Amino acid sequence: MRVIAGLGNPGRKYKLSRHNLGFMVVEECARLYKVRFFYPKFRGRVAKIRIGYEEVLLLKPHTYMNNSGESVAMVLDRLNLYPDQLIVIHDDLDLPLGKIKLGFNLGSAGHKGVQSIIEHLGSQEFYRVRCGIGKPASKDEVVDYVLSPFKPDELEKVKKMISTACKATEVLIKEGLEEARNIFHRSD
């Protein structure tokens, strides 16, 4: 079994914000696999799908971004899973808008949701799908930037990135990290 945790903040206020990109990706994965209902469990919302031969739990932690680790750790603990059975999908300021990167056993690079997961698991040995949102002009603008919605002229690129992130996650599960990187890091 695998867990795909898409990071974000619950509530209508944050629904379309840059910081909710992880939620958007797992919602798209659910849609592609024809699952419509995320039910409350593990201090979040979950849905089950099957990718290849793997049963997969899609998770949207509802503990708010900076406490994502509470929900993720609860899932892994209750299901007797190891960190390497986890894929975390999240926004990334260090990547240009539309770019995705896959990794394993990485530090948080300042992402508070990822840092919370590392602290609650006592490990960073999990997979990551980092989805680029670009950077604001100044570090002082970061909070407002990540909590703001995408601009209309960015939406097409965001839609494509969400679709690509779903495909990359599917390849990661079916064929492994190196194959997924070979396919989805080609433009590097």
Side-chain angles (χ1 to χ4, degrees):
M1 180 175 210
R2 300 276 188 124
V3 174
I4 300 173
L7 304 190
N9 287 309
R12 185 169 283 165
K13 175 180 175 184
Y14 302 107
K15 185 167 177 57
L16 299 174
S17 74
R18 296 169 191 276
H19 228 15
N20 271 32
L21 203 47
F23 276 14
M24 294 175 202
V25 173
V26 295
E27 288 165 356
E28 177 64 9
C29 291
R31 188 191 69 74
L32 290 171
Y33 281 86
K34 299 179 179 23
V35 173
R36 294 180 181 206
F37 185 66
F38 278 82
Y39 56 94
K41 196 167 188 174
F42 305 119
R43 299 193 65 202
R45 299 292 181 268
V46 298
K48 286 186 181 176
I49 62 173
R50 183 170 288 281
I51 297 178
Y53 297 107
E54 290 261 11
E55 185 178 7
V56 176
L57 185 77
L58 301 174
L59 170 68
K60 298 190 307 183
H62 275 214
T63 47
Y64 289 90
M65 180 64 81
N66 295 355
N67 297 311
S68 297
E70 293 174 17
S71 177
V72 171
M74 184 182 291
V75 170
L76 269 59
D77 183 55
R78 297 259 174 90
L79 299 177
N80 291 321
L81 300 176
Y82 295 99
D84 67 357
Q85 291 171 284
L86 170 67
I87 300 167
V88 176
I89 302 175
H90 63 88
D91 61 297
D92 195 309
L93 287 163
D94 293 327
L95 293 175
L97 180 69
K99 183 90 167 160
I100 70 160
K101 287 278 193 175
L102 296 102
F104 178 76
N105 196 21
L106 303 170
S108 70
H111 192 288
K112 290 186 166 98
V114 174
Q115 186 60 42
S116 174
I117 293 169
I118 291 169
E119 288 170 3
H120 279 83
L121 297 181
S123 173
Q124 61 186 30
E125 293 182 4
F126 52 87
Y127 294 92
R128 304 237 311 267
V129 179
R130 300 165 43 219
C131 300
I133 60 170
K135 285 185 180 183
S138 160
K139 285 186 177 185
D140 296 337
E141 299 171 15
V142 167
V143 172
D144 289 338
Y145 181 77
V146 298
L147 295 178
S148 69
F150 291 101
K151 295 175 185 167
D153 64 334
E154 296 173 323
L155 294 177
E156 192 58 41
K157 196 176 263 193
V158 171
K159 185 177 177 182
K160 183 177 178 189
M161 176 175 49
I162 289 169
S163 175
T164 301
C166 287
K167 291 174 189 164
T169 303
E170 184 177 53
V171 171
L172 173 60
I173 289 171
K174 287 180 174 179
E175 300 179 40
L177 179 61
E178 290 313 309
E179 184 61 23
R181 281 178 167 162
N182 287 340
I183 296 168
F184 296 97
H185 290 192
R186 277 185 288 193
S187 60
D188 288 352

